[in-house]
């Protein structure tokens, strides 16, 4: 299928004005296909001209333009030519569409818990034509009238309020103007909990087998929803404009959530079946608030073209954290951002695929998808925080209000947004925008001090700009120092040059730990001094500022990836500081990063057992002293379950014996134990299947696939490879879980044969797997055999010209992590 180009979009936008869509979907035609009828009314500025409509159909029954039939056989490359247009036009298309199983389009999944089928639409970025005929570009918005025919026992939810007739036909209320990628329908035997707030009907929905966690979490979800509505109504001065507000937790969802107006879809893992740590609840609350903020920035005002996608995501990323801190109990949301979102974004910035926040001209829709990453989210949000520091919060919000009011139900651009902020603040943002939004990469900031007899004589901030991407970025942030838990000095500064003195620190005691960007207000590589890193095992547990602790951990992770901090130094800090950590986000995320990234990537295989044992000892110590049922206890138990080599303990826990308090009926926790047993070869296929029988659910099936792929024998790896790369009809989630288990091995020899096969077989999957799903498979399935030969094969594959954009981008990013691991091992003397 051809990807829409920017030039084509501009040409069509200048010609076409869409008046309305009437879409009728028949979801009662079995598990493979559904019926689609579209009546599209639109104007043409140049009567007699021609254009095209987008359509990706299984089969086309009829196409009628202004009463004249067009030949369905002319459908080619996902397009139907529309000749000789009138000033006002009506197009009617009747087609049969195929359900997807890769999370794009109209996805259909079967819940093994009860055999019930569930359908949901995920039309981002260019999947709308696989559901209905349309002009699929974000600046051709129009209202929708949607009708759905569904099985009698199904419920239908969509962008407009749904009304059911006796024959299983659902009519959705006419929407306000929407971009095509926001139209959605969710249908199936969903269970629901409903409420109302400030005149807005609310609903949350999930699979029938998730009724218990849905009802258990409903109060928390509604509370965050209501608080977010109140906060955004007050902040933006514009009421939510899309009628009812539904949140649907759907299976096998590729993203965290999608901001469809009036009908937000979420991955249903957010309905935690077992125990949940506080940071997991914070993450979910943040996602709820993030998607709601999109109702204004993205839905009410949509970017004109995909190269301004950051306008949606950076804004929602910033606003959701702001909302949680100011309107909910999750006042540590920025700490979570530091150790989760910014670590993700810094990883994207380290890759050769790094790009500016804005201003990257996406020449076609699929190219735009490649910049939908941690830079668009986390870096963009950090840039907005710096913009607020530059113009002032009141003026920033005034500009946002003006932008949203002026562009309501239409489209906006970066230039439009900046003009609104300039008008409200009276400041010229050309230089600021060029440095922060239009130039890739990040500065490095560090603090250099001279001391005499333990007293600071001189202190200065050093700002280093990347030589190949120079930029003069102003940074506003603070610097703080501690010794034995006492804060010895903190100074706020605005850095506008390579060297900035900090006279406020002169004459203060020299701190054992000195942290640039201690409140994490800016976006930069934080370089900690050698003396600070050396002092961290003893000093970090004593620092009372959890935001500063998050910055330190982020800097350590960044340093390991950049070969400036050794894995041993990281583990030394982990041993001493992690068991004493009190912030949930830092505790759980650092543990996961240590187990799943630092040890397997940066510690050579011969030393990994000893490194894993260090993690296990730290976790066991915390578990022993933690209060039962707390986040500390749960985080420690998960790390013990994933790292222990105590077969007796693992078997007991897998059988439900002697479990820590709160985990007695936690199926997801049991799978962590089973995965460890499987990876160590302590159980086989039959035992994995037996555990699968105890958890006959969608998530249980996925975990069983991962465990079976983790078994350390040639037959298991061969089976996993066939299931992953063959045309076995595996869903997007099944492929990812198979890939997660595949490279788990006691030595490279067991999986070495799959290294060259990865570079041929996985890119070929583009022939039957959607770009969004395949981009994740490419990343997760990338060989975890860290050798120069793997690097050679990777470089050769990246140079191919036949790769799809998603495969190429994911290969570049995975290759960057491979080379980081090789560089670290070379720097710190480990054999490659």
């Amino acid at each position: 299928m051809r990807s829409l180009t920017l030039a084509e979009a501009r040409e069509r936008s200048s010609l076409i004005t869409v008046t309305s869509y009437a879409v009728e979907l028949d979801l009662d035609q079995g598990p493979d296909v559904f019926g689609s009828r579209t009546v599209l009314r639109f104007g043409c500025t140049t009567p007699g001209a021609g254009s095209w409509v987008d359509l990706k159909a299984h089969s086309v029954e009829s196409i009628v333009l202004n009463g004249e039939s067009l030949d369905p056989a002319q459908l080619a490359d996902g397009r139907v030519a529309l000749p000789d247009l009138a000033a006002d036009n009506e197009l009617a298309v009747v087609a049969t569409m195929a359900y997807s199983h890769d999370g794009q389009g109209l996805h259909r999944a079967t819940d093994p818990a009860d055999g019930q089928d569930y359908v949901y639409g995920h039309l981002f970025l260019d999947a709308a034509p696989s559901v209905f005929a349309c002009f699929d570009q974000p600046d051709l918005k129009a209202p929708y009238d949607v009708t759905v025919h569904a099985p009698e026992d199904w419920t239908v939810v969509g962008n407009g309020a749904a009304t059911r007739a006796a024959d299983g036909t659902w009519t959705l209320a006419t929407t306000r103007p929407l971009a095509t990628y926001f139209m959605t329908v969710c249908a199936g035997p969903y269970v629901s909990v409903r409420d109302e707030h400030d005149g807005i009907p609310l609903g949350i929905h999930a699979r029938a087998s998730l009724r218990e966690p849905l009802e258990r979490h409903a109060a928390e979800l509604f509370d965050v929803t209501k608080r977010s509505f109140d906060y955004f109504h007050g902040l933006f001065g514009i009421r939510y404009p899309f009628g009812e507000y539904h949140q649907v937790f759907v299976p096998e969802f590729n993203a965290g959530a999608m901001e469809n107006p009036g009908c937000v879809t979420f991955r249903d893992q957010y309905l935690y079946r077992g125990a949940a740590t506080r940071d997991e609840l914070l993450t979910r609350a943040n996602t709820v608030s993030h998607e709601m903020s999109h109702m204004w920035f993205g839905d009410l005002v949509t970017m004109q073209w995909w190269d301004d996608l950051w306008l949606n995501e950076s804004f929602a990323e910033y606003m959701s954290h702001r909302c949680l801190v100011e309107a909910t109990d999750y006042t540590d949301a920025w700490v979570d951002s530091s150790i989760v979102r910014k670590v993700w974004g810094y990883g994207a910035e380290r890759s050769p695929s790094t790009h500016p926040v804005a201003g990257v001209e996406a020449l076609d829709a699929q190219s735009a998808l490649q910049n939908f990453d941690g830079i668009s989210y986390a870096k963009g949000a950090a840039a907005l925080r710096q913009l607020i520091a530059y113009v002032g919060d009141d003026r920033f919000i005034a500009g946002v209000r003006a932008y949203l009011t002026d562009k309501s139900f239409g489209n906006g651009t970066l230039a439009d947004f900046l003009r609104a902020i300039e008008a409200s603040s009276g400041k010229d943002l050309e230089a600021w925008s060029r440095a922060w939004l239009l130039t890739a990469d990040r500065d490095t900031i560090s603090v250099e001090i001279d001391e005499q007899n333990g007293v600071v004589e001189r202190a200065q901030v050093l700002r280093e700009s990347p030589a190949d991407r120079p930029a003069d970025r102003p940074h506003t942030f603070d610097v703080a120092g501690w010794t034995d838990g006492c804060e010895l000095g903190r100074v706020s500064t605005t850095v506008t040059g390579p060297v900035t003195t900090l006279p406020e620190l002169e004459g203060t005691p020299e701190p054992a730990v000195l942290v640039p960007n201690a409140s994490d207000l800016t976006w930069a590589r934080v370089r900690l001094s050698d003396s600070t890193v050396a002092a961290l095992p003893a000093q970090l547990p004593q620092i009372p500022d959890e935001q500063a602790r998050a910055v330190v951990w982020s800097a350590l992770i960044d340093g390991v990836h950049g070969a400036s901090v050794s894995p041993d130094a990281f583990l030394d800090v982990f041993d001493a500081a992690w068991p004493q950590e009190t912030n949930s986000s830092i505790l759980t995320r650092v543990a996961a990063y240590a187990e799943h990234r630092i040890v397997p990537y940066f510690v050579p295989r011969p030393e990994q057992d000893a490194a894993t044992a260090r993690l296990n000892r730290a976790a066991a110590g915390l578990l022993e002293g933690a209060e039962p049922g707390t986040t500390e206890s749960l985080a420690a138990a998960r790390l013990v379950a994933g790292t222990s080599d105590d077969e007796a303990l693992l078997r007991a826990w897998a059988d439900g014996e002697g479990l820590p308090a709160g985990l007695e009926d936690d199926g997801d926790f049991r799978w962590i134990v089973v995965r460890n047993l499987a990876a160590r070869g302590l159980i086989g296929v039959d035992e994995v299947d037996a555990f699968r029988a105890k958890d006959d659910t969608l998530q249980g099936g996925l975990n069983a696939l991962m465990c079976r792929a983790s078994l350390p024998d040639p037959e298991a790896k061969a089976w996993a490879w066939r299931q992953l790369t063959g045309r076995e009809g595996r869903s997007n989630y099944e492929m990812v879980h198979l890939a997660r288990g595949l490279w788990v091995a006691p030595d490279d020899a067991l999986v070495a044969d799959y290294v060259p096969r990865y570079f041929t077989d996985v890119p070929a999957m583009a022939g039957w797997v959607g770009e969004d799903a395949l981009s994740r498979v490419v990343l997760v399935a990338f060989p975890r055999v860290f050798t120069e030969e793997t690097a050679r094969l990777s470089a050769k594959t990246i140079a191919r010209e036949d790769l799809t954009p998603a495969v190429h981008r994911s290969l570049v990013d995975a290759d960057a992590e491979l080379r980081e691991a090789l560089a670290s091992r070379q720097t710190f003397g480990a054999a490659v």
Side-chain angles (χ1 to χ4, degrees):
M1 298 291 182
R2 291 172 60 184
S3 181
L4 180 70
T5 69
L6 173 58
E8 290 172 328
R10 286 172 173 168
E11 177 186 357
R12 188 162 63 175
S13 181
S14 69
L15 189 68
I16 299 297
T17 302
V18 186
T19 305
S20 67
Y21 283 96
V23 178
E24 184 176 349
L25 303 177
D26 184 356
L27 308 185
D28 202 10
Q29 296 188 8
D32 300 319
V33 298
F34 61 95
S36 172
R37 182 177 187 273
T38 307
V39 176
L40 205 173
R41 294 180 175 86
F42 61 99
C44 177
T45 59
T46 309
S51 188
W52 76 93
V53 70
D54 300 296
L55 181 64
K56 302 173 184 177
H58 177 74
S59 64
V60 181
E61 281 66 66
S62 67
I63 305 172
V64 178
L65 175 63
N66 297 330
E68 299 291 331
S69 294
L70 302 180
D71 184 2
Q74 69 159 302
L75 172 65
D77 291 328
R79 298 180 178 187
V80 176
L82 303 178
D84 194 22
L85 294 174
D88 296 297
N89 303 271
E90 179 180 285
L91 176 70
V93 177
V94 178
T96 300
M97 307 297 203
Y99 289 112
S100 81
H101 300 286
D102 60 8
Q104 296 170 252
L106 203 59
H107 182 97
R108 186 167 181 140
T110 302
D111 186 347
D114 54 17
Q116 300 274 22
D117 280 9
Y118 294 86
V119 168
Y120 63 88
H122 182 59
L123 306 193
F124 180 84
L125 175 140
D126 60 354
S130 66
V131 178
F132 61 100
C134 58
F135 296 118
D136 192 29
Q137 58 191 76
D139 61 339
L140 290 179
K141 300 170 76 171
Y144 285 77
D145 287 284
V146 177
T147 303
V148 180
H149 303 281
E152 285 288 334
D153 60 338
W154 282 20
T155 294
V156 173
V157 181
N159 304 106
T163 304
R164 184 183 187 275
D167 62 350
T169 298
W170 297 73
T171 301
L172 306 186
T174 304
T175 72
R176 304 300 295 266
L178 307 179
T180 48
Y181 76 98
F182 287 138
M183 183 274 195
T184 195
V185 164
C186 300
Y190 287 98
V191 293
S192 306
V193 180
R194 297 180 185 273
D195 203 341
E196 183 272 341
H197 180 66
D198 194 17
I200 304 168
L202 308 176
I204 55 174
H205 316 268
R207 289 178 282 132
S209 63
L210 293 176
R211 178 187 292 274
E212 187 279 328
L214 175 72
E215 294 177 347
R216 174 160 44 92
H217 290 285
E220 157 82 2
L221 288 165
F222 280 134
D223 182 64
V224 173
T225 299
K226 294 173 183 179
R227 289 172 184 256
S228 297
F229 264 128
D230 291 344
Y231 183 76
F232 292 136
H233 281 157
L235 194 67
F236 302 145
I238 301 173
R239 278 190 59 82
Y240 167 71
F242 296 111
E244 296 185 355
Y245 194 75
H246 296 275
Q247 297 173 96
V248 190
F249 293 83
V250 299
E252 301 177 341
F253 198 65
N254 279 333
M258 180 65 199
E259 66 269 20
N260 313 301
C263 186
V264 179
T265 43
F266 296 82
R267 58 169 56 216
D268 59 15
Q269 288 94 331
Y270 280 138
L271 293 178
Y272 303 109
R273 302 190 303 168
T277 59
R278 184 180 183 281
D279 68 287
E280 288 174 326
L281 298 178
L282 187 159
T283 296
R284 184 179 67 191
N286 183 272
T287 306
V288 168
S289 190
H290 178 109
E291 302 310 320
M292 186 183 292
S293 70
H294 273 311
M295 297 299 128
W296 288 267
F297 234 93
D299 297 4
L300 178 65
V301 182
T302 307
M303 74 271 158
Q304 187 164 310
W305 178 243
W306 299 109
D307 50 8
D308 275 329
L309 184 63
W310 79 275
L311 275 173
N312 291 12
E313 300 306 339
S314 301
F315 182 88
E317 180 85 0
Y318 168 74
M319 280 297 169
S320 61
H321 287 86
R322 177 172 175 151
C323 175
L324 290 195
V325 170
E326 297 187 8
T328 78
D329 295 334
Y330 297 108
T331 55
D332 57 338
W334 286 118
V335 178
D336 185 80
S337 173
S338 297
I339 202 62
V340 180
R341 308 298 286 181
K342 292 185 82 169
V343 167
W344 170 45
Y346 287 156
E349 195 85 286
R350 288 191 305 266
S351 175
S353 64
T354 185
H355 56 86
V357 172
V360 180
E361 189 171 58
L363 298 182
D364 61 55
Q366 281 300 326
S367 296
L369 184 61
Q370 308 323 306
N371 291 335
F372 194 60
D373 57 18
I375 294 172
S376 299
Y377 285 78
K379 184 179 181 179
L384 289 178
R385 295 186 84 181
Q386 288 296 300
L387 177 59
I388 290 168
Y390 185 63
V391 303
D393 188 67
D394 290 346
R395 293 173 179 178
F396 172 77
I397 294 302
V400 167
R401 285 185 169 198
Y403 173 78
L404 292 175
T405 301
D406 183 54
K407 299 294 182 180
S408 286
F409 301 109
N411 298 84
T413 65
L414 168 62
D416 295 328
F417 176 73
L418 292 179
R419 276 196 295 268
I421 303 299
E422 286 178 331
S424 65
S425 67
K427 289 193 174 184
D428 186 334
L429 295 179
E430 181 180 357
W432 184 94
S433 174
R434 184 169 58 251
W436 271 107
L437 301 180
L438 303 179
T439 305
D441 217 332
R442 56 183 170 152
D443 297 333
T444 299
I445 58 174
S446 59
V447 179
E448 185 180 84
I449 64 173
D450 294 332
E451 60 84 25
Q452 184 71 31
N453 298 321
V455 177
V456 176
E457 289 193 330
R458 181 179 63 91
Q460 56 186 17
V461 173
L462 306 182
R463 184 197 72 181
E464 303 170 49
S465 183
D468 56 342
R469 299 184 182 94
D472 186 15
R473 298 181 187 88
H475 295 265
T476 298
F477 59 90
D478 60 353
V479 177
W482 290 267
T483 298
D484 298 333
C486 295
E487 186 173 309
L488 301 182
R490 184 184 293 258
V491 58
S492 297
T493 185
T494 296
V495 171
T496 58
V499 179
T500 302
T501 60
L502 302 175
E504 298 91 339
L505 293 183
E506 294 174 6
T508 64
E510 179 190 12
V513 170
L514 190 60
V515 183
N517 196 29
S519 296
D520 205 10
L521 300 177
T522 195
W523 178 269
R525 178 183 288 105
V526 172
R527 180 180 296 153
L528 302 174
S529 68
D530 291 344
S531 62
T532 287
V533 173
L536 286 175
Q539 295 291 327
L540 184 58
Q542 302 181 67
I543 295 177
D545 186 336
E546 59 187 12
Q547 184 69 73
R549 296 198 305 272
V551 170
V552 168
W553 280 113
S554 175
L556 289 174
I557 291 169
D558 213 14
V560 172
H561 280 273
S564 62
V565 174
S566 73
D568 280 344
F570 178 94
L571 293 173
D572 287 343
V573 181
F574 187 93
D575 284 346
W578 180 82
Q580 301 183 60
E581 182 54 59
T582 57
N583 179 270
S584 173
S585 298
I586 299 174
L587 188 72
T588 62
R589 302 309 176 126
V590 170
Y593 213 90
E595 180 185 1
H596 299 295
R597 185 68 60 170
I598 299 297
V599 171
Y601 279 67
F602 296 96
V603 177
R605 277 202 191 271
E607 302 170 26
Q608 286 182 8
D609 286 347
T612 300
R614 294 179 70 176
L615 302 182
N616 183 66
R617 285 193 298 272
L622 175 58
L623 181 60
E624 183 178 357
E627 182 180 343
T630 61
T631 285
E632 289 80 6
S633 177
L634 177 55
R638 287 175 176 174
L639 187 55
V640 170
T643 59
S644 177
D645 62 357
D646 185 339
E647 181 178 355
L649 174 69
L650 294 173
R651 286 190 177 277
W653 280 6
D655 292 334
E657 300 172 2
L659 288 163
L663 296 174
E664 293 84 358
D665 299 312
D666 194 325
D668 291 327
F669 178 78
R670 182 173 60 235
W671 280 113
I672 299 175
V673 180
V674 174
R675 185 179 65 212
N676 191 357
L677 286 166
R680 294 179 184 277
L682 299 175
I683 60 174
V685 173
D686 290 344
E687 287 168 291
V688 171
D689 288 343
F691 285 111
R692 169 71 176 85
K694 295 178 182 178
D695 185 10
D696 190 19
T697 64
L698 197 60
Q699 193 61 44
L702 296 171
N703 284 321
L705 287 176
M706 180 166 54
C707 290
R708 186 170 172 182
S710 299
L711 293 171
D713 63 71
E715 292 78 12
K717 300 305 181 185
W719 173 85
W721 190 257
R722 289 194 304 271
Q723 295 296 309
L724 173 64
T725 61
R727 294 176 180 262
E728 304 294 337
R730 290 294 186 181
S731 73
N732 51 335
Y733 270 43
E734 289 174 330
M735 288 184 289
V736 166
H737 279 74
L738 286 163
R740 284 176 177 163
L742 177 72
W743 297 105
V744 175
D747 55 65
D748 288 349
L750 180 61
V751 291
D753 289 346
Y754 296 100
V755 175
R757 294 181 65 178
Y758 167 89
F759 292 107
T760 56
D761 295 2
V762 172
M765 293 167 65
W768 64 91
V769 179
E771 287 276 273
D772 197 15
L774 186 55
S775 66
R776 289 164 173 78
V777 173
V778 170
L779 281 172
V780 178
F782 192 87
R784 277 175 33 185
V785 176
F786 300 101
T787 64
E788 293 294 348
E789 175 61 13
T790 303
R792 185 190 68 81
L793 291 170
S794 180
K796 180 180 178 182
T797 306
I798 290 171
R800 285 169 46 181
E801 297 183 355
D802 62 334
L803 301 177
T804 66
V807 170
H808 182 268
R809 168 62 189 270
S810 292
L811 276 175
V812 168
D813 291 344
D815 178 83
E817 293 191 333
L818 164 67
R819 295 177 191 280
E820 286 177 343
L822 293 175
S824 174
R825 297 181 185 195
Q826 182 178 20
T827 299
F828 298 107
V832 176

